[in-house]
Amino acid sequence: MLRRKDRVGLTIVASALAVANDNHADYIHTAIVDVFSIFADDLDGALRICDETSGDTDDRVAQGARRLHASLAEIDPVLRPA
């Protein structure tokens, strides 16, 4: 879902992250780093989507989006635009 890099995929991951126990959250965090640690543009887009989704009317999605945003904010991507 993360590799889609779109609102649908990130919303599904955010929803799962909201109810994940610590062990599952660690696996999700590893996947987040794997997908978004290369290109800064992909990371910026995901952060934007999480900002928008953090105000969702579904509390689980909103909470997960905030948690996903926090994970994404820790990433320092390898490749940035010239």
Side-chain angles (χ1 to χ4, degrees):
M1 299 278 69
L2 289 169
R3 290 194 189 280
R4 289 174 55 126
K5 299 175 185 164
D6 66 0
R7 182 174 311 279
V8 173
L10 290 172
T11 300
I12 291 168
V13 172
S15 183
L17 193 55
V19 296
N21 63 33
D22 289 341
N23 190 43
H24 288 134
D26 286 343
Y27 285 116
I28 295 170
H29 180 72
T30 299
I32 292 166
V33 171
D34 288 348
V35 171
F36 291 103
S37 64
I38 305 298
F39 297 105
D41 289 343
D42 292 341
L43 177 61
D44 292 343
L47 285 166
R48 247 186 328 276
I49 291 169
C50 287
D51 279 339
E52 295 165 4
T53 310
S54 66
D56 197 278
T57 56
D58 183 333
D59 289 338
R60 187 169 101 175
V61 171
Q63 177 188 7
R66 289 188 294 273
R67 198 168 172 190
L68 180 55
H69 188 281
S71 290
L72 289 166
E74 296 175 0
I75 297 172
D76 184 23
V78 176
L79 300 174
R80 299 184 181 281

